[in-house]
Amino acid sequence: MFSKKWSVLLPSLRALANNTHAIVKIVDHVLVKYHKRSYAAALTDKNINRLNSILTSSLHQHPNKILFWDSSMPLSDQYVDQCYKNKVATKDHLWMCDDPMHL
């Protein structure tokens, strides 16, 4: 079900990414610890791994300007990883992946 919903959202997200920064934050495992009882069946470590796998594999299969963020990794590692994968450079200098000295 999630995969189908994500595939419907992805084209709109790609279109948005052509005009502005688009970052998808993958689901954090910390949620498992703090979820409400009503989410207990859905928010398991196993399901979070599945969701994150769907998100990351679909973004890797269709490289574009959509970046993904794994909040369990240090932000600097994520930045460098995304630079190597997507080579993003913006006029506002938020992303300067074309400058090897700043990585």
Side-chain angles (χ1 to χ4, degrees):
M1 182 175 167
F2 178 79
S3 185
K4 288 180 184 178
K5 296 285 186 185
W6 177 243
S7 66
V8 169
L9 177 64
L10 196 53
S12 297
L13 194 56
R14 281 194 193 117
L16 178 68
N18 285 327
N19 298 310
T20 189
H21 304 287
I23 301 170
V24 173
K25 181 183 174 290
I26 66 173
V27 181
D28 198 321
H29 283 272
V30 173
L31 290 175
V32 172
K33 182 175 174 80
Y34 295 106
H35 64 66
K36 296 178 182 179
R37 288 183 190 262
S38 60
Y39 297 136
L43 286 179
T44 64
D45 281 322
K46 185 177 179 180
N47 284 344
I48 288 173
N49 287 338
R50 264 192 221 135
L51 293 174
N52 288 340
S53 177
I54 291 168
L55 290 172
T56 56
S57 68
S58 65
L59 292 174
H60 285 302
Q61 289 173 8
H62 305 284
N64 53 38
K65 295 181 180 183
I66 302 171
L67 307 175
F68 67 93
W69 173 27
D70 177 351
S71 63
S72 66
M73 291 178 65
L75 186 55
S76 61
D77 290 346
Q78 285 290 305
Y79 183 89
V80 171
D81 186 52
Q82 289 297 324
C83 275
Y84 281 114
K85 289 178 182 169
N86 297 310
K87 311 286 190 243
V88 179
T90 59
K91 291 179 183 178
D92 59 9
H93 301 291
L94 289 174
W95 291 89
M96 296 172 40
C97 300
D98 57 345
D99 179 0
M101 295 306 293
H102 104 281
L103 292 176

